[in-house]
Amino acid sequence: MKKIIILTIALFFGIAGMAYLYFSKLGNENNAKDLALQSATNNAAIVFSFQNDKGFYEIIQAQNLIQQVLGEDKIQLLIQLKDLIINDNALNKFIQDQYIYVSVLPDTNKNLNFLITVQLKADEDLNKFNQVIKSKNYITPLQNGQYSLKLQDSVSAYANLNDRVITLSTSLKLINDAAIRLAENPFTDYIKENNAVSRSALAQIYINYNHVPLVLKNILVGKLNGSIEVLNRQNAFASLSYNFSKERILFNGSTTLKDDSSYLKLFEQSAAQVTNIQNILPDNTANYAIYAFDDYKTWFKSLKTIRIKANQITQADQTISSIKNDYRTDLNLIFPLYAKNQFATFQLSTSEKLGAIQLTNGEKVKQLLFDVSTDYSDEIKVFKSANILQVYFGEAFKNFSKPFYAIIDNYLIVANNASTVASFLISYKNNRLMIQNPIYMDAMNQIATTSNISYYVDLRKSQNILRDNLSSKYYKHFMADSGLKTFDTFCYQLIADKNKFISNVLLNKYVQQPIPDSLSIR
């Protein structure tokens, strides 16, 4: 009996020891893998991830749309690096089947640049890798584990090898920044959480919206505004899988909001809706943001909760109270009763900005707003008090303080100029609408029919707007035949799914279908 007890104790400690060694090794391997990810995510707004596999390069090469988005310079750089490293069997064996991360980062002189990060395979000998590097005459050692790579056309790239992690870029600044790894980085944790889900995808793109403004600062001349202004202060992450297509660029995945006070959080718990407010938008609409939910009263209650957390509820209450005292109009008996389940902000190709709110009874609302409005014309009115719409519809309408407005067919249309409202009414009454555009309808056919938030940009009708807002370098790329000129539509769709949004990102090219020859049909 005593021997059995001793053997049992020995067996227990033996198993415990083996388990400790196994999980320690597993933990060390995971930590080693995390080092590459930590370097890739440090300060990055966008991280593109794919497995270093021959099949990936063959598929990507078959579609030239990604090349158009990145531009000739960046594509030529990636091609040269692929020729020097991936196509070199002696080098590639050390990173075969490893995940490669391509990070998009702001660089000096208002430029965006790439940082490429990859982890050496755990079973490969580091000394042998160093020997292979020394045998390459286009690689020159510098200092502190850094190297210079001579590319074609007198272009140089730099690499760094540290803790079996290779970082590579044409910018030494990005190389040095990547060496400062953050042990605690929410973006790194988010990618690790979503990596298992995305392993079957051809490629994955991860977005850190906290750093998106830093990237846009290098692209835009002024501030982030318009329909995408809401992205300016978003503590959010997205994980999107690439769907191969020769006709369009499409990513599907999810977006997670980390900030409970985010305006977009108001739409997270609502069922996705079939929207129709886009049906009234003019044919010269350049971009829009559409917001939808299942019930306005529930949505407005959530809006008030967010304002309480942000200490903004007093300001909204004061606006409602002062209008009640000054004009004997209780706004709480108007919008909470007659607002429907969707609204939109949109911009015309002329840069004019408008808003639209769907109502259940437009004629009744027109009567109830009589005392808080001044007539500009028979159809167009203007609010006497400021911030009415922001009180009831939040951040989307903050730029319409005392707008001109018209109510037509159960829609409240607002703009900061009376002429803009008049222009809308002319288009609407003459049926000159965006939904008649086959380019727009083709793009809508590629994404879900229900959503909570939809961002849309007609790239062709936005040319003048982008010319005024993009730096010359990026506008030139936007207008180039080898760049984005042949694309016509960008869409970003968010569909509520418990505590996150199912997300679709589309960059579309409309291909007109040939009209069949009726004479050839028998």
Side-chain angles (χ1 to χ4, degrees), residues 189-252:
D189 296 337
Y190 176 80
I191 293 177
K192 288 163 61 179
E193 290 171 5
N194 288 271
N195 192 38
V197 179
S198 62
R199 283 188 180 276
S200 60
L202 177 66
Q204 196 79 2
I205 188 168
Y206 301 98
I207 305 172
N208 182 355
Y209 284 101
N210 294 280
H211 290 155
V212 164
L214 296 176
V215 169
L216 294 177
K217 187 178 180 181
N218 286 262
I219 298 175
L220 300 176
V221 175
K223 295 181 179 180
L224 182 64
N225 55 34
S227 297
I228 60 173
E229 185 179 2
V230 71
L231 301 177
N232 195 30
R233 300 175 304 278
Q234 285 299 322
N235 181 9
F237 303 121
S239 172
L240 305 166
S241 297
Y242 173 64
N243 291 272
F244 175 78
S245 169
K246 290 186 177 181
E247 291 79 31
R248 61 191 60 88
I249 295 175
L250 178 63
F251 288 90
N252 305 115

Side-chain angles (χ1 to χ4, degrees), residues 181-383:
R181 301 188 184 111
L182 301 177
E184 294 184 6
N185 186 337
F187 191 31
T188 304
D189 296 337
Y190 176 80
I191 293 177
K192 288 163 61 179
E193 290 171 5
N194 288 271
N195 192 38
V197 179
S198 62
R199 283 188 180 276
S200 60
L202 177 66
Q204 196 79 2
I205 188 168
Y206 301 98
I207 305 172
N208 182 355
Y209 284 101
N210 294 280
H211 290 155
V212 164
L214 296 176
V215 169
L216 294 177
K217 187 178 180 181
N218 286 262
I219 298 175
L220 300 176
V221 175
K223 295 181 179 180
L224 182 64
N225 55 34
S227 297
I228 60 173
E229 185 179 2
V230 71
L231 301 177
N232 195 30
R233 300 175 304 278
Q234 285 299 322
N235 181 9
F237 303 121
S239 172
L240 305 166
S241 297
Y242 173 64
N243 291 272
F244 175 78
S245 169
K246 290 186 177 181
E247 291 79 31
R248 61 191 60 88
I249 295 175
L250 178 63
F251 288 90
N252 305 115
S254 64
T255 301
T256 302
L257 303 175
K258 298 294 185 179
D259 184 1
D260 289 338
S261 63
S262 168
Y263 181 68
L264 302 186
K265 201 81 173 176
L266 294 169
F267 305 86
E268 193 178 64
Q269 300 298 326
S270 179
Q273 303 293 307
V274 176
T275 60
N276 52 31
I277 199 168
Q278 66 271 20
N279 297 347
I280 70 168
L281 302 186
D283 58 359
N284 64 333
T285 297
N287 62 73
Y288 69 61
I290 292 178
Y291 306 87
F293 40 83
D294 48 9
D295 177 70
Y296 176 80
K297 289 182 179 179
T298 302
W299 182 86
F300 184 53
K301 184 178 179 180
S302 299
L303 176 61
K304 291 194 288 187
T305 300
I306 283 182
R307 283 183 171 145
I308 291 172
K309 292 179 180 178
N311 295 320
Q312 296 174 346
I313 191 67
T314 303
Q315 183 179 354
D317 287 344
Q318 286 176 348
T319 299
I320 296 170
S321 178
S322 63
I323 290 173
K324 189 173 183 179
N325 292 332
D326 294 342
Y327 305 110
R328 294 171 298 181
T329 299
D330 188 352
L331 296 176
N332 285 329
L333 298 178
I334 303 176
F335 294 110
L337 296 182
Y338 298 102
K340 212 170 178 183
N341 70 330
Q342 53 197 276
F343 55 84
T345 58
F346 57 102
Q347 189 172 19
L348 307 181
S349 58
T350 54
S351 298
E352 297 165 291
K353 298 176 182 178
L354 300 95
I357 300 167
Q358 192 177 51
L359 305 170
T360 59
N361 190 332
E363 289 302 316
K364 185 65 175 179
V365 173
K366 189 183 298 186
Q367 297 171 16
L368 294 172
L369 291 177
F370 180 82
D371 288 331
V372 296
S373 307
T374 300
D375 288 349
Y376 177 82
S377 67
D378 289 342
E379 290 184 291
I380 302 174
K381 320 294 179 184
V382 60
F383 285 115

Side-chain angles (χ1 to χ4, degrees), residues 268-501:
E268 193 178 64
Q269 300 298 326
S270 179
Q273 303 293 307
V274 176
T275 60
N276 52 31
I277 199 168
Q278 66 271 20
N279 297 347
I280 70 168
L281 302 186
D283 58 359
N284 64 333
T285 297
N287 62 73
Y288 69 61
I290 292 178
Y291 306 87
F293 40 83
D294 48 9
D295 177 70
Y296 176 80
K297 289 182 179 179
T298 302
W299 182 86
F300 184 53
K301 184 178 179 180
S302 299
L303 176 61
K304 291 194 288 187
T305 300
I306 283 182
R307 283 183 171 145
I308 291 172
K309 292 179 180 178
N311 295 320
Q312 296 174 346
I313 191 67
T314 303
Q315 183 179 354
D317 287 344
Q318 286 176 348
T319 299
I320 296 170
S321 178
S322 63
I323 290 173
K324 189 173 183 179
N325 292 332
D326 294 342
Y327 305 110
R328 294 171 298 181
T329 299
D330 188 352
L331 296 176
N332 285 329
L333 298 178
I334 303 176
F335 294 110
L337 296 182
Y338 298 102
K340 212 170 178 183
N341 70 330
Q342 53 197 276
F343 55 84
T345 58
F346 57 102
Q347 189 172 19
L348 307 181
S349 58
T350 54
S351 298
E352 297 165 291
K353 298 176 182 178
L354 300 95
I357 300 167
Q358 192 177 51
L359 305 170
T360 59
N361 190 332
E363 289 302 316
K364 185 65 175 179
V365 173
K366 189 183 298 186
Q367 297 171 16
L368 294 172
L369 291 177
F370 180 82
D371 288 331
V372 296
S373 307
T374 300
D375 288 349
Y376 177 82
S377 67
D378 289 342
E379 290 184 291
I380 302 174
K381 320 294 179 184
V382 60
F383 285 115
K384 295 177 181 178
S385 297
N387 303 322
I388 289 176
L389 297 181
Q390 186 177 358
V391 167
Y392 288 94
F393 300 96
E395 189 175 340
F397 285 85
K398 74 175 185 178
N399 292 322
F400 300 101
S401 177
K402 292 175 66 175
F404 294 85
Y405 74 88
I407 296 177
I408 184 169
D409 293 343
N410 292 331
Y411 289 99
L412 171 65
I413 309 300
V414 301
N416 289 322
N417 296 294
S419 59
T420 305
V421 178
S423 174
F424 170 89
L425 293 174
I426 292 172
S427 294
Y428 182 73
K429 291 176 181 178
N430 288 280
N431 203 33
R432 297 199 298 264
L433 303 174
M434 183 179 62
I435 56 169
Q436 297 174 341
N437 186 343
I439 295 176
Y440 174 73
M441 296 309 297
D442 178 66
M444 294 302 103
N445 288 335
Q446 313 307 322
I447 54 179
T449 56
T450 60
S451 64
N452 295 94
I453 305 169
S454 295
Y455 299 106
Y456 160 84
V457 181
D458 184 315
L459 297 174
R460 296 181 183 180
K461 291 174 183 173
S462 296
Q463 286 183 8
N464 291 335
I465 298 171
L466 293 171
R467 181 186 58 202
D468 294 337
N469 288 277
L470 291 178
S471 64
S472 58
K473 174 183 177 181
Y474 292 101
Y475 183 72
K476 183 179 179 181
H477 173 57
F478 172 76
M479 292 298 296
D481 290 330
S482 59
L484 295 173
K485 186 177 181 179
T486 56
F487 291 96
D488 48 62
T489 306
F490 171 80
C491 297
Y492 186 13
Q493 189 180 55
L494 300 175
I495 304 164
D497 182 33
K498 297 179 180 178
N499 294 320
K500 64 179 186 298
F501 289 102

Side-chain angles (χ1 to χ4, degrees), residues 9 13 20 89 250 257 431 522:
I9 293 173
F13 281 107
Y20 173 78
N89 292 331
L250 178 63
L257 303 175
N431 203 33
R522 295 181 181 180

